Amino acid sequence: MKTYKIALIKGDGIGPEIIDEATKVLDSVASCFDFDFKYEEVLMGGCAYDETGDPLPQETITAALSSDAVLFGAIGGEKWDSLPREKRPESGLLRFRKELGVYANLRPAVVYDELINASSLKPDVIAGVDLMVVRELIGGIYFGEPKGRDENKGWNTMVYTKDEIVRIAHTAFNIAMERSKRVCSVDKANVLDVSQLWRETVEEVAKEYPDVELSHMYVDNAAMQLIRDPKQFDVMLTGNIFGDILSDEASMLSGSIGLLPSASVGSKIGVYEPIHGSAPDIAGQGIANPIATISSASMMLRYALGEVEAANRIDAAIKKALKEGYRTQDLAQHDAKEVCSTSEMGSIIANYTAK
Ligand code: NAD
């Protein structure tokens, strides 16, 4: 029997609630196969700051680097918003991604047929949407120097080196090769020098993938096109801040931010996490949608552990739960058979996974 070592970072807000459901489903699927999980729970974010004075204790980095994968909930909350920047939960998360070298954030946005009416867009616009945002994660304006502020001025710098663009472009083209072989690179090359380098470099990398069709789009247009005609996209390749915004936008195609998973991968250990934050407004109420996190666990099985069959099983169980009409409150509409709590939704998916 194979045992996978998973570093679990529950974090703040709804983080613990949604991670508990993901491990419930992972344990359930493992019981059908010849593997199990050994979880090591470590702290990050506001809870880590409260306990240790550091939002990213060294122990967490060490545990992550000695695991097979990291399953991550969410961090942050108002309680820690007034701390100096380096002590804030979000700084811990950025440092964590850098330490692990996870430069590529893969964010699939799929519209489930069962939820076609949950989106704020018309069914014929979103039916069949299946796109992947490939976001550069450890460069760009969130990390660029110089940055700072004084009383009257605040400044950040958007920087990309050629090497950083080359490696994320390869990720996007390789993913496109497994999908519909189309990459749309999103930038702001009409205004930003950094985007001009981005565009030229992506063009160069594209020569190595003659089967993939490359197009370019300015980010403002991409934001509009995602709403106007999302089916035109297969793989969207973009930098850190543009990808952050576009993937949240893409989440609304599917009906709720509580549905979308992500995988952050690079040269070392991958981090699997929902795209949403710690949702302090609903924390502790048992109403958070755990599907984004359960789906992230499925991506972990698929990409980090190579357990494709188990991942397919979880994906099918999520679909079945939705098809049967089970909905958490964020998705509850007239078509809901039953409005479930976070834990009920986790249990339903876990049961379907085991069957
Ligand atoms: P958020 O994603 O936490 O919440 C946005 C809205 O979506 C809220 O109304 C929330 O209730 C809802 N929502 C989010 N996840 C949900 C789920 N699973 N089920 C149902 N509804 C859900 O974004 P925010 O409110 O801008 O940020 C809250 C905190 O999270 C901030 O401190 C922010 O810095 C942090 N944050 C953390 C991460 C991360 O850990 N990766 C990402 C984004 C934001």
Side-chain angles (χ1 to χ4, degrees), residues 183-216:
V183 170
C184 177
S185 174
V186 177
D187 61 35
K188 191 69 186 167
N190 49 345
V191 176
L192 301 176
D193 295 314
V194 59
S195 281
Q196 284 166 7
L197 178 71
W198 179 280
R199 194 174 275 221
E200 284 164 23
T201 308
V202 172
E203 291 273 356
E204 277 172 34
V205 173
K207 291 184 187 137
E208 295 176 43
Y209 300 85
D211 294 340
V212 179
E213 183 193 315
L214 171 66
S215 59
H216 300 278

PDB file of all heavy atoms in Angstrom, residues 183-216:
ATOM      1  N   VAL A 183      -3.774  28.890 -27.636  1.00  0.00           N
ATOM      2  CA  VAL A 183      -3.325  29.729 -26.524  1.00  0.00           C
ATOM      3  C   VAL A 183      -3.638  31.175 -26.855  1.00  0.00           C
ATOM      4  O   VAL A 183      -3.303  31.659 -27.945  1.00  0.00           O
ATOM      5  CB  VAL A 183      -1.794  29.588 -26.286  1.00  0.00           C
ATOM      6  CG1 VAL A 183      -1.298  30.645 -25.301  1.00  0.00           C
ATOM      7  CG2 VAL A 183      -1.448  28.191 -25.779  1.00  0.00           C
ATOM      8  N   CYS A 184      -4.285  31.871 -25.922  1.00  0.00           N
ATOM      9  CA  CYS A 184      -4.474  33.311 -26.059  1.00  0.00           C
ATOM     10  C   CYS A 184      -3.636  33.965 -24.966  1.00  0.00           C
ATOM     11  O   CYS A 184      -3.889  33.760 -23.775  1.00  0.00           O
ATOM     12  CB  CYS A 184      -5.948  33.682 -25.901  1.00  0.00           C
ATOM     13  SG  CYS A 184      -6.197  35.455 -25.977  1.00  0.00           S
ATOM     14  N   SER A 185      -2.624  34.714 -25.379  1.00  0.00           N
ATOM     15  CA  SER A 185      -1.763  35.393 -24.401  1.00  0.00           C
ATOM     16  C   SER A 185      -2.325  36.785 -24.125  1.00  0.00           C
ATOM     17  O   SER A 185      -2.594  37.548 -25.051  1.00  0.00           O
ATOM     18  CB  SER A 185      -0.339  35.463 -24.956  1.00  0.00           C
ATOM     19  OG  SER A 185       0.465  36.237 -24.100  1.00  0.00           O
ATOM     20  N   VAL A 186      -2.509  37.071 -22.845  1.00  0.00           N
ATOM     21  CA  VAL A 186      -3.173  38.331 -22.455  1.00  0.00           C
ATOM     22  C   VAL A 186      -2.150  39.280 -21.844  1.00  0.00           C
ATOM     23  O   VAL A 186      -1.399  38.908 -20.941  1.00  0.00           O
ATOM     24  CB  VAL A 186      -4.294  38.035 -21.436  1.00  0.00           C
ATOM     25  CG1 VAL A 186      -4.938  39.328 -20.960  1.00  0.00           C
ATOM     26  CG2 VAL A 186      -5.337  37.109 -22.050  1.00  0.00           C
ATOM     27  N   ASP A 187      -2.090  40.499 -22.365  1.00  0.00           N
ATOM     28  CA  ASP A 187      -1.103  41.462 -21.871  1.00  0.00           C
ATOM     29  C   ASP A 187      -1.639  42.878 -22.015  1.00  0.00           C
ATOM     30  O   ASP A 187      -2.826  43.085 -22.290  1.00  0.00           O
ATOM     31  CB  ASP A 187       0.224  41.285 -22.629  1.00  0.00           C
ATOM     32  CG  ASP A 187       0.075  41.536 -24.134  1.00  0.00           C
ATOM     33  OD1 ASP A 187      -0.729  42.417 -24.536  1.00  0.00           O
ATOM     34  OD2 ASP A 187       0.748  40.846 -24.931  1.00  0.00           O
ATOM     35  N   LYS A 188      -0.767  43.835 -21.869  1.00  0.00           N
ATOM     36  CA  LYS A 188      -1.143  45.238 -22.079  1.00  0.00           C
ATOM     37  C   LYS A 188       0.002  45.870 -22.866  1.00  0.00           C
ATOM     38  O   LYS A 188       0.615  46.876 -22.467  1.00  0.00           O
ATOM     39  CB  LYS A 188      -1.365  45.905 -20.706  1.00  0.00           C
ATOM     40  CG  LYS A 188      -2.004  47.268 -20.741  1.00  0.00           C
ATOM     41  CD  LYS A 188      -3.459  47.272 -21.165  1.00  0.00           C
ATOM     42  CE  LYS A 188      -3.955  48.706 -21.299  1.00  0.00           C
ATOM     43  NZ  LYS A 188      -5.235  48.831 -21.986  1.00  0.00           N
ATOM     44  N   ALA A 189       0.320  45.198 -24.004  1.00  0.00           N
ATOM     45  CA  ALA A 189       1.506  45.580 -24.778  1.00  0.00           C
ATOM     46  C   ALA A 189       1.360  46.932 -25.479  1.00  0.00           C
ATOM     47  O   ALA A 189       2.346  47.495 -25.948  1.00  0.00           O
ATOM     48  CB  ALA A 189       1.829  44.481 -25.801  1.00  0.00           C
ATOM     49  N   ASN A 190       0.136  47.437 -25.535  1.00  0.00           N
ATOM     50  CA  ASN A 190      -0.040  48.768 -26.144  1.00  0.00           C
ATOM     51  C   ASN A 190       0.428  49.881 -25.208  1.00  0.00           C
ATOM     52  O   ASN A 190       0.617  51.011 -25.641  1.00  0.00           O
ATOM     53  CB  ASN A 190      -1.505  48.996 -26.551  1.00  0.00           C
ATOM     54  CG  ASN A 190      -2.492  48.655 -25.437  1.00  0.00           C
ATOM     55  OD1 ASN A 190      -2.143  48.001 -24.466  1.00  0.00           O
ATOM     56  ND2 ASN A 190      -3.717  49.119 -25.583  1.00  0.00           N
ATOM     57  N   VAL A 191       0.634  49.542 -23.937  1.00  0.00           N
ATOM     58  CA  VAL A 191       0.989  50.580 -22.959  1.00  0.00           C
ATOM     59  C   VAL A 191       2.263  50.229 -22.174  1.00  0.00           C
ATOM     60  O   VAL A 191       3.086  51.089 -21.899  1.00  0.00           O
ATOM     61  CB  VAL A 191      -0.176  50.789 -21.949  1.00  0.00           C
ATOM     62  CG1 VAL A 191       0.209  51.798 -20.878  1.00  0.00           C
ATOM     63  CG2 VAL A 191      -1.442  51.235 -22.656  1.00  0.00           C
ATOM     64  N   LEU A 192       2.432  48.955 -21.838  1.00  0.00           N
ATOM     65  CA  LEU A 192       3.494  48.572 -20.903  1.00  0.00           C
ATOM     66  C   LEU A 192       4.695  47.943 -21.610  1.00  0.00           C
ATOM     67  O   LEU A 192       4.534  47.009 -22.403  1.00  0.00           O
ATOM     68  CB  LEU A 192       2.959  47.559 -19.879  1.00  0.00           C
ATOM     69  CG  LEU A 192       1.781  48.006 -19.004  1.00  0.00           C
ATOM     70  CD1 LEU A 192       1.306  46.842 -18.121  1.00  0.00           C
ATOM     71  CD2 LEU A 192       2.180  49.192 -18.133  1.00  0.00           C
ATOM     72  N   ASP A 193       5.901  48.423 -21.273  1.00  0.00           N
ATOM     73  CA  ASP A 193       7.124  47.833 -21.833  1.00  0.00           C
ATOM     74  C   ASP A 193       7.248  46.366 -21.435  1.00  0.00           C
ATOM     75  O   ASP A 193       7.644  45.524 -22.230  1.00  0.00           O
ATOM     76  CB  ASP A 193       8.355  48.600 -21.311  1.00  0.00           C
ATOM     77  CG  ASP A 193       8.359  50.032 -21.822  1.00  0.00           C
ATOM     78  OD1 ASP A 193       8.127  50.219 -23.026  1.00  0.00           O
ATOM     79  OD2 ASP A 193       8.556  50.952 -21.013  1.00  0.00           O
ATOM     80  N   VAL A 194       6.894  46.087 -20.178  1.00  0.00           N
ATOM     81  CA  VAL A 194       7.019  44.707 -19.700  1.00  0.00           C
ATOM     82  C   VAL A 194       6.127  43.785 -20.531  1.00  0.00           C
ATOM     83  O   VAL A 194       6.491  42.637 -20.832  1.00  0.00           O
ATOM     84  CB  VAL A 194       6.715  44.634 -18.175  1.00  0.00           C
ATOM     85  CG1 VAL A 194       5.322  45.134 -17.846  1.00  0.00           C
ATOM     86  CG2 VAL A 194       6.863  43.229 -17.629  1.00  0.00           C
ATOM     87  N   SER A 195       4.993  44.293 -20.969  1.00  0.00           N
ATOM     88  CA  SER A 195       4.081  43.488 -21.787  1.00  0.00           C
ATOM     89  C   SER A 195       4.618  43.312 -23.211  1.00  0.00           C
ATOM     90  O   SER A 195       4.348  42.305 -23.865  1.00  0.00           O
ATOM     91  CB  SER A 195       2.706  44.146 -21.856  1.00  0.00           C
ATOM     92  OG  SER A 195       1.974  43.889 -20.690  1.00  0.00           O
ATOM     93  N   GLN A 196       5.387  44.302 -23.696  1.00  0.00           N
ATOM     94  CA  GLN A 196       5.979  44.129 -25.033  1.00  0.00           C
ATOM     95  C   GLN A 196       6.970  42.965 -25.010  1.00  0.00           C
ATOM     96  O   GLN A 196       6.998  42.126 -25.907  1.00  0.00           O
ATOM     97  CB  GLN A 196       6.665  45.420 -25.481  1.00  0.00           C
ATOM     98  CG  GLN A 196       5.670  46.479 -25.937  1.00  0.00           C
ATOM     99  CD  GLN A 196       6.284  47.863 -26.055  1.00  0.00           C
ATOM    100  OE1 GLN A 196       7.492  48.038 -25.929  1.00  0.00           O
ATOM    101  NE2 GLN A 196       5.435  48.845 -26.276  1.00  0.00           N
ATOM    102  N   LEU A 197       7.799  42.921 -23.945  1.00  0.00           N
ATOM    103  CA  LEU A 197       8.740  41.799 -23.814  1.00  0.00           C
ATOM    104  C   LEU A 197       7.963  40.487 -23.686  1.00  0.00           C
ATOM    105  O   LEU A 197       8.329  39.465 -24.275  1.00  0.00           O
ATOM    106  CB  LEU A 197       9.639  42.000 -22.588  1.00  0.00           C
ATOM    107  CG  LEU A 197      10.623  40.854 -22.336  1.00  0.00           C
ATOM    108  CD1 LEU A 197      11.729  40.836 -23.396  1.00  0.00           C
ATOM    109  CD2 LEU A 197      11.236  40.946 -20.947  1.00  0.00           C
ATOM    110  N   TRP A 198       6.885  40.528 -22.912  1.00  0.00           N
ATOM    111  CA  TRP A 198       6.032  39.336 -22.715  1.00  0.00           C
ATOM    112  C   TRP A 198       5.566  38.818 -24.073  1.00  0.00           C
ATOM    113  O   TRP A 198       5.700  37.637 -24.401  1.00  0.00           O
ATOM    114  CB  TRP A 198       4.833  39.726 -21.835  1.00  0.00           C
ATOM    115  CG  TRP A 198       3.862  38.609 -21.581  1.00  0.00           C
ATOM    116  CD1 TRP A 198       2.897  38.167 -22.433  1.00  0.00           C
ATOM    117  CD2 TRP A 198       3.770  37.790 -20.415  1.00  0.00           C
ATOM    118  NE1 TRP A 198       2.190  37.125 -21.869  1.00  0.00           N
ATOM    119  CE2 TRP A 198       2.712  36.877 -20.629  1.00  0.00           C
ATOM    120  CE3 TRP A 198       4.467  37.743 -19.201  1.00  0.00           C
ATOM    121  CZ2 TRP A 198       2.342  35.924 -19.672  1.00  0.00           C
ATOM    122  CZ3 TRP A 198       4.105  36.790 -18.261  1.00  0.00           C
ATOM    123  CH2 TRP A 198       3.066  35.898 -18.496  1.00  0.00           C
ATOM    124  N   ARG A 199       5.039  39.730 -24.892  1.00  0.00           N
ATOM    125  CA  ARG A 199       4.458  39.328 -26.178  1.00  0.00           C
ATOM    126  C   ARG A 199       5.528  38.761 -27.121  1.00  0.00           C
ATOM    127  O   ARG A 199       5.350  37.691 -27.720  1.00  0.00           O
ATOM    128  CB  ARG A 199       3.769  40.539 -26.822  1.00  0.00           C
ATOM    129  CG  ARG A 199       2.855  40.159 -27.964  1.00  0.00           C
ATOM    130  CD  ARG A 199       2.079  41.338 -28.485  1.00  0.00           C
ATOM    131  NE  ARG A 199       0.866  41.591 -27.729  1.00  0.00           N
ATOM    132  CZ  ARG A 199      -0.315  41.929 -28.264  1.00  0.00           C
ATOM    133  NH1 ARG A 199      -0.434  42.063 -29.561  1.00  0.00           N
ATOM    134  NH2 ARG A 199      -1.378  42.148 -27.515  1.00  0.00           N
ATOM    135  N   GLU A 200       6.677  39.482 -27.221  1.00  0.00           N
ATOM    136  CA  GLU A 200       7.753  39.003 -28.116  1.00  0.00           C
ATOM    137  C   GLU A 200       8.243  37.620 -27.682  1.00  0.00           C
ATOM    138  O   GLU A 200       8.505  36.741 -28.497  1.00  0.00           O
ATOM    139  CB  GLU A 200       8.952  39.962 -28.046  1.00  0.00           C
ATOM    140  CG  GLU A 200       8.739  41.257 -28.799  1.00  0.00           C
ATOM    141  CD  GLU A 200       9.762  42.321 -28.372  1.00  0.00           C
ATOM    142  OE1 GLU A 200      10.848  41.955 -27.858  1.00  0.00           O
ATOM    143  OE2 GLU A 200       9.431  43.505 -28.528  1.00  0.00           O
ATOM    144  N   THR A 201       8.382  37.437 -26.359  1.00  0.00           N
ATOM    145  CA  THR A 201       8.917  36.174 -25.847  1.00  0.00           C
ATOM    146  C   THR A 201       7.932  35.026 -26.086  1.00  0.00           C
ATOM    147  O   THR A 201       8.335  33.916 -26.471  1.00  0.00           O
ATOM    148  CB  THR A 201       9.246  36.316 -24.332  1.00  0.00           C
ATOM    149  OG1 THR A 201      10.058  37.466 -24.166  1.00  0.00           O
ATOM    150  CG2 THR A 201       9.948  35.094 -23.799  1.00  0.00           C
ATOM    151  N   VAL A 202       6.651  35.292 -25.868  1.00  0.00           N
ATOM    152  CA  VAL A 202       5.645  34.256 -26.105  1.00  0.00           C
ATOM    153  C   VAL A 202       5.670  33.854 -27.586  1.00  0.00           C
ATOM    154  O   VAL A 202       5.587  32.668 -27.933  1.00  0.00           O
ATOM    155  CB  VAL A 202       4.240  34.728 -25.655  1.00  0.00           C
ATOM    156  CG1 VAL A 202       3.162  33.740 -26.078  1.00  0.00           C
ATOM    157  CG2 VAL A 202       4.205  34.921 -24.136  1.00  0.00           C
ATOM    158  N   GLU A 203       5.839  34.850 -28.469  1.00  0.00           N
ATOM    159  CA  GLU A 203       5.936  34.565 -29.913  1.00  0.00           C
ATOM    160  C   GLU A 203       7.111  33.619 -30.193  1.00  0.00           C
ATOM    161  O   GLU A 203       6.995  32.674 -30.972  1.00  0.00           O
ATOM    162  CB  GLU A 203       6.182  35.866 -30.701  1.00  0.00           C
ATOM    163  CG  GLU A 203       5.018  36.836 -30.735  1.00  0.00           C
ATOM    164  CD  GLU A 203       4.039  36.542 -31.872  1.00  0.00           C
ATOM    165  OE1 GLU A 203       4.309  35.634 -32.656  1.00  0.00           O
ATOM    166  OE2 GLU A 203       2.986  37.217 -31.917  1.00  0.00           O
ATOM    167  N   GLU A 204       8.235  33.875 -29.529  1.00  0.00           N
ATOM    168  CA  GLU A 204       9.425  33.024 -29.750  1.00  0.00           C
ATOM    169  C   GLU A 204       9.163  31.595 -29.290  1.00  0.00           C
ATOM    170  O   GLU A 204       9.475  30.630 -29.985  1.00  0.00           O
ATOM    171  CB  GLU A 204      10.619  33.580 -28.965  1.00  0.00           C
ATOM    172  CG  GLU A 204      11.345  34.691 -29.683  1.00  0.00           C
ATOM    173  CD  GLU A 204      12.388  35.346 -28.780  1.00  0.00           C
ATOM    174  OE1 GLU A 204      12.989  34.648 -27.939  1.00  0.00           O
ATOM    175  OE2 GLU A 204      12.585  36.574 -28.927  1.00  0.00           O
ATOM    176  N   VAL A 205       8.579  31.467 -28.086  1.00  0.00           N
ATOM    177  CA  VAL A 205       8.317  30.118 -27.552  1.00  0.00           C
ATOM    178  C   VAL A 205       7.323  29.384 -28.456  1.00  0.00           C
ATOM    179  O   VAL A 205       7.436  28.177 -28.689  1.00  0.00           O
ATOM    180  CB  VAL A 205       7.794  30.200 -26.093  1.00  0.00           C
ATOM    181  CG1 VAL A 205       7.363  28.819 -25.590  1.00  0.00           C
ATOM    182  CG2 VAL A 205       8.858  30.786 -25.172  1.00  0.00           C
ATOM    183  N   ALA A 206       6.369  30.125 -28.997  1.00  0.00           N
ATOM    184  CA  ALA A 206       5.316  29.520 -29.834  1.00  0.00           C
ATOM    185  C   ALA A 206       5.913  28.774 -31.033  1.00  0.00           C
ATOM    186  O   ALA A 206       5.317  27.792 -31.511  1.00  0.00           O
ATOM    187  CB  ALA A 206       4.357  30.601 -30.316  1.00  0.00           C
ATOM    188  N   LYS A 207       7.102  29.209 -31.498  1.00  0.00           N
ATOM    189  CA  LYS A 207       7.721  28.553 -32.670  1.00  0.00           C
ATOM    190  C   LYS A 207       8.018  27.083 -32.391  1.00  0.00           C
ATOM    191  O   LYS A 207       8.102  26.273 -33.303  1.00  0.00           O
ATOM    192  CB  LYS A 207       9.008  29.276 -33.055  1.00  0.00           C
ATOM    193  CG  LYS A 207       8.732  30.661 -33.629  1.00  0.00           C
ATOM    194  CD  LYS A 207      10.008  31.337 -34.098  1.00  0.00           C
ATOM    195  CE  LYS A 207       9.685  32.772 -34.487  1.00  0.00           C
ATOM    196  NZ  LYS A 207      10.667  33.736 -34.030  1.00  0.00           N
ATOM    197  N   GLU A 208       8.180  26.749 -31.076  1.00  0.00           N
ATOM    198  CA  GLU A 208       8.461  25.351 -30.724  1.00  0.00           C
ATOM    199  C   GLU A 208       7.187  24.505 -30.684  1.00  0.00           C
ATOM    200  O   GLU A 208       7.247  23.299 -30.475  1.00  0.00           O
ATOM    201  CB  GLU A 208       9.150  25.288 -29.353  1.00  0.00           C
ATOM    202  CG  GLU A 208      10.520  25.937 -29.358  1.00  0.00           C
ATOM    203  CD  GLU A 208      11.147  25.949 -27.964  1.00  0.00           C
ATOM    204  OE1 GLU A 208      11.060  24.920 -27.263  1.00  0.00           O
ATOM    205  OE2 GLU A 208      11.710  26.989 -27.597  1.00  0.00           O
ATOM    206  N   TYR A 209       6.032  25.157 -30.848  1.00  0.00           N
ATOM    207  CA  TYR A 209       4.753  24.430 -30.791  1.00  0.00           C
ATOM    208  C   TYR A 209       3.921  24.754 -32.038  1.00  0.00           C
ATOM    209  O   TYR A 209       2.899  25.436 -31.960  1.00  0.00           O
ATOM    210  CB  TYR A 209       3.975  24.826 -29.527  1.00  0.00           C
ATOM    211  CG  TYR A 209       4.718  24.526 -28.237  1.00  0.00           C
ATOM    212  CD1 TYR A 209       5.636  25.442 -27.722  1.00  0.00           C
ATOM    213  CD2 TYR A 209       4.522  23.335 -27.547  1.00  0.00           C
ATOM    214  CE1 TYR A 209       6.327  25.174 -26.539  1.00  0.00           C
ATOM    215  CE2 TYR A 209       5.204  23.063 -26.371  1.00  0.00           C
ATOM    216  CZ  TYR A 209       6.111  23.985 -25.877  1.00  0.00           C
ATOM    217  OH  TYR A 209       6.793  23.713 -24.717  1.00  0.00           O
ATOM    218  N   PRO A 210       4.378  24.277 -33.201  1.00  0.00           N
ATOM    219  CA  PRO A 210       3.702  24.655 -34.444  1.00  0.00           C
ATOM    220  C   PRO A 210       2.244  24.204 -34.513  1.00  0.00           C
ATOM    221  O   PRO A 210       1.463  24.781 -35.268  1.00  0.00           O
ATOM    222  CB  PRO A 210       4.536  23.950 -35.527  1.00  0.00           C
ATOM    223  CG  PRO A 210       5.334  22.913 -34.811  1.00  0.00           C
ATOM    224  CD  PRO A 210       5.526  23.384 -33.409  1.00  0.00           C
ATOM    225  N   ASP A 211       1.877  23.210 -33.693  1.00  0.00           N
ATOM    226  CA  ASP A 211       0.487  22.734 -33.737  1.00  0.00           C
ATOM    227  C   ASP A 211      -0.457  23.608 -32.921  1.00  0.00           C
ATOM    228  O   ASP A 211      -1.669  23.418 -32.968  1.00  0.00           O
ATOM    229  CB  ASP A 211       0.388  21.300 -33.187  1.00  0.00           C
ATOM    230  CG  ASP A 211       1.116  20.329 -34.089  1.00  0.00           C
ATOM    231  OD1 ASP A 211       1.332  20.674 -35.260  1.00  0.00           O
ATOM    232  OD2 ASP A 211       1.487  19.245 -33.599  1.00  0.00           O
ATOM    233  N   VAL A 212       0.121  24.511 -32.130  1.00  0.00           N
ATOM    234  CA  VAL A 212      -0.739  25.336 -31.269  1.00  0.00           C
ATOM    235  C   VAL A 212      -0.940  26.702 -31.915  1.00  0.00           C
ATOM    236  O   VAL A 212       0.004  27.350 -32.355  1.00  0.00           O
ATOM    237  CB  VAL A 212      -0.111  25.504 -29.865  1.00  0.00           C
ATOM    238  CG1 VAL A 212      -1.004  26.388 -28.990  1.00  0.00           C
ATOM    239  CG2 VAL A 212       0.101  24.153 -29.208  1.00  0.00           C
ATOM    240  N   GLU A 213      -2.208  27.095 -31.956  1.00  0.00           N
ATOM    241  CA  GLU A 213      -2.546  28.400 -32.519  1.00  0.00           C
ATOM    242  C   GLU A 213      -2.420  29.464 -31.413  1.00  0.00           C
ATOM    243  O   GLU A 213      -3.026  29.344 -30.353  1.00  0.00           O
ATOM    244  CB  GLU A 213      -3.993  28.326 -33.003  1.00  0.00           C
ATOM    245  CG  GLU A 213      -4.512  29.553 -33.682  1.00  0.00           C
ATOM    246  CD  GLU A 213      -6.048  29.443 -33.806  1.00  0.00           C
ATOM    247  OE1 GLU A 213      -6.543  28.362 -34.195  1.00  0.00           O
ATOM    248  OE2 GLU A 213      -6.716  30.430 -33.479  1.00  0.00           O
ATOM    249  N   LEU A 214      -1.598  30.482 -31.687  1.00  0.00           N
ATOM    250  CA  LEU A 214      -1.388  31.539 -30.684  1.00  0.00           C
ATOM    251  C   LEU A 214      -2.104  32.816 -31.105  1.00  0.00           C
ATOM    252  O   LEU A 214      -2.010  33.244 -32.257  1.00  0.00           O
ATOM    253  CB  LEU A 214       0.120  31.833 -30.543  1.00  0.00           C
ATOM    254  CG  LEU A 214       0.484  33.054 -29.685  1.00  0.00           C
ATOM    255  CD1 LEU A 214       0.116  32.844 -28.214  1.00  0.00           C
ATOM    256  CD2 LEU A 214       1.978  33.375 -29.811  1.00  0.00           C
ATOM    257  N   SER A 215      -2.802  33.422 -30.154  1.00  0.00           N
ATOM    258  CA  SER A 215      -3.363  34.761 -30.393  1.00  0.00           C
ATOM    259  C   SER A 215      -2.985  35.641 -29.202  1.00  0.00           C
ATOM    260  O   SER A 215      -2.547  35.153 -28.162  1.00  0.00           O
ATOM    261  CB  SER A 215      -4.883  34.690 -30.545  1.00  0.00           C
ATOM    262  OG  SER A 215      -5.460  34.148 -29.380  1.00  0.00           O
ATOM    263  N   HIS A 216      -3.119  36.945 -29.388  1.00  0.00           N
ATOM    264  CA  HIS A 216      -2.818  37.889 -28.300  1.00  0.00           C
ATOM    265  C   HIS A 216      -4.040  38.750 -28.061  1.00  0.00           C
ATOM    266  O   HIS A 216      -4.790  39.051 -28.995  1.00  0.00           O
ATOM    267  CB  HIS A 216      -1.650  38.804 -28.687  1.00  0.00           C
ATOM    268  CG  HIS A 216      -0.393  38.075 -28.984  1.00  0.00           C
ATOM    269  ND1 HIS A 216       0.469  37.639 -28.004  1.00  0.00           N
ATOM    270  CD2 HIS A 216       0.161  37.699 -30.164  1.00  0.00           C
ATOM    271  CE1 HIS A 216       1.494  37.013 -28.567  1.00  0.00           C
ATOM    272  NE2 HIS A 216       1.335  37.035 -29.876  1.00  0.00           N
TER     273      HIS A 216
END
